[in-house]
Amino acid sequence: MTKIIHPVAGAVALTIIATFWLSTALTELFASHQSIAMVKTAIPWGFLLLVPALAMTGGSGFFLAKERRAGLIGAKIKRMPFIAGNGILVLIPAALFLASKAKAAEFDTTFYAVQALELFAGATNIVLLGLNMRDGFKMKGRFRARRAARFNTKPIL
C-alpha cells in the first residue's frame, strides 16, 4: 500500500504546488486585481489538500527508505528539509499574507515584493520536488535506456 501512496501523494502535492504557482503567475500577468484577489484567497484553502499530501509523501518515503540513506534515497532525503522549510517558513506565511492583502485590495509595493518572494520560493520547491520525483523514477527503473531493436535491419538504398 505504501508503494502506491508515496508516488500518488507526491504527484498530487507537486500538481497542487504547480497549480498555485501557475495560477499566481498567469493572473499577475494577464488578469484584473479582482481575479488576482480570487486566486490569492483560494490558495490557502488548497492547503487543506496540500499539507496532507505532503505529509503522506514524506511519511511514506521515510517508511519505504527504511534505514537506507545513500544514493538516490539519500539525495531525496537531503532535499526534504529545504522543501519543508521553504514551505513552512516562506510559502505558507506568504500565501496567508497575500490573501489578506488581496482581500483588502491592497496591491502595493509590499504585496508585490512578497509575491516575488513567493514565486521564487514556489519555483524552488517545484524544482526540488521534481528532482525527487525524477530520482524516484530512476529507482523504479523508469529511465533506463531502451534496448536496441531485436531485428538487425539495414537501410534500403
Side-chain angles (χ1 to χ4, degrees), residues 26 34 43 83 86-87 90-91 96 100 105 109 130 132-133 146 150 155:
L26 292 174
Q34 184 179 7
I43 287 174
I83 294 167
N86 197 12
V90 178
L91 292 170
L96 296 173
S100 69
T109 305
N132 276 4
M133 185 176 276
R146 301 220 182 246
R150 292 184 180 202

Coordinates of all heavy atoms in Angstrom, one line a residue, residues 26 34 43 83 86-87 90-91 96 100 105 109 130 132-133 146 150 155:
L26 N 0.0 33.5 -13.9 CA -0.9 33.9 -15.0 C -1.8 35.0 -14.7 O -2.1 35.9 -15.5 CB -1.6 32.7 -15.5 CG -0.8 31.6 -16.2 CD1 -1.6 30.4 -16.6 CD2 -0.1 32.2 -17.5
Q34 N -9.2 41.9 -9.3 CA -10.3 41.1 -8.8 C -10.0 39.6 -9.0 O -10.1 38.8 -8.0 CB -11.6 41.4 -9.4 CG -12.8 40.6 -8.9 CD -14.1 41.0 -9.5 OE1 -14.2 41.7 -10.5 NE2 -15.2 40.5 -9.0
I43 N -5.9 30.1 -2.6 CA -4.7 29.3 -2.4 C -4.7 28.7 -0.9 O -4.4 27.5 -0.8 CB -3.4 30.0 -2.8 CG1 -3.3 30.1 -4.3 CG2 -2.2 29.4 -2.2 CD1 -2.2 30.9 -4.8
I83 N 12.7 21.7 1.2 CA 11.4 21.7 0.8 C 10.4 22.1 1.9 O 9.6 23.0 1.8 CB 11.0 20.4 0.1 CG1 11.8 20.2 -1.2 CG2 9.5 20.4 -0.2 CD1 11.7 18.8 -1.8
N86 N 11.2 25.7 3.3 CA 10.7 26.7 2.4 C 9.2 26.8 2.5 O 8.6 27.9 2.4 CB 11.1 26.2 1.0 CG 11.1 27.3 -0.1 OD1 10.9 28.5 0.3 ND2 11.2 26.9 -1.3
G87 N 8.5 25.7 2.6 CA 7.0 25.7 2.7 C 6.5 26.3 4.0 O 5.6 27.2 4.0
V90 N 8.4 30.2 4.4 CA 8.2 31.2 3.4 C 6.8 31.1 2.7 O 6.0 32.0 2.7 CB 9.3 31.1 2.3 CG1 9.1 32.1 1.2 CG2 10.7 31.3 3.0
L91 N 6.5 29.9 2.2 CA 5.3 29.8 1.3 C 4.0 30.0 2.0 O 3.1 30.7 1.6 CB 5.4 28.5 0.5 CG 6.5 28.5 -0.5 CD1 6.6 27.1 -1.1 CD2 6.2 29.5 -1.6
L96 N -0.7 33.4 3.2 CA -1.7 33.9 4.1 C -1.6 35.5 4.1 O -2.7 36.1 4.1 CB -1.5 33.4 5.5 CG -1.7 31.9 5.7 CD1 -1.3 31.4 7.0 CD2 -3.1 31.5 5.4
S100 N -4.6 38.0 2.6 CA -5.2 39.1 3.4 C -5.1 40.5 2.7 O -6.0 41.3 2.7 CB -4.6 39.2 4.8 OG -3.3 39.6 4.8
A105 N -7.8 44.5 -1.1 CA -7.5 45.2 -2.3 C -6.3 46.1 -2.1 O -6.2 47.2 -2.7 CB -8.7 46.0 -2.8
T109 N 3.5 48.0 -3.0 CA 4.8 47.5 -3.1 C 5.1 46.3 -2.2 O 5.8 45.4 -2.7 CB 5.8 48.6 -2.8 OG1 5.5 49.8 -3.6 CG2 7.2 48.2 -3.1
G130 N 10.5 18.1 -8.2 CA 10.7 17.4 -9.5 C 11.9 16.6 -9.5 O 11.9 15.5 -10.0
N132 N 13.2 15.1 -6.8 CA 12.8 13.9 -6.0 C 12.0 12.9 -6.9 O 12.2 11.7 -6.8 CB 12.1 14.3 -4.8 CG 13.0 14.7 -3.7 OD1 14.2 14.8 -3.8 ND2 12.5 15.0 -2.5
M133 N 11.1 13.5 -7.7 CA 10.3 12.6 -8.5 C 11.1 11.9 -9.5 O 11.0 10.7 -9.8 CB 9.1 13.4 -9.2 CG 8.2 12.5 -10.0 SD 6.8 13.5 -10.7 CE 5.7 13.5 -9.3
R146 N 16.5 2.1 -23.3 CA 15.8 1.0 -24.0 C 16.8 0.2 -24.8 O 17.8 0.7 -25.3 CB 14.7 1.6 -25.0 CG 13.7 2.5 -24.3 CD 12.4 2.2 -24.9 NE 11.4 3.0 -24.2 CZ 10.4 2.6 -23.4 NH1 10.3 1.3 -23.2 NH2 9.6 3.4 -22.9
R150 N 15.4 -5.6 -31.7 CA 15.8 -7.1 -31.8 C 16.2 -7.5 -33.2 O 17.0 -8.4 -33.4 CB 14.7 -7.9 -31.3 CG 14.5 -7.7 -29.8 CD 13.4 -8.7 -29.3 NE 13.3 -8.4 -27.9 CZ 12.8 -9.3 -27.0 NH1 12.4 -10.4 -27.4 NH2 12.7 -9.0 -25.7
P155 N 19.7 -0.3 -43.8 CA 19.0 0.7 -44.6 C 18.8 0.3 -46.1 O 19.7 -0.3 -46.7 CB 19.8 2.0 -44.5 CG 21.1 1.5 -44.0 CD 21.0 0.2 -43.3

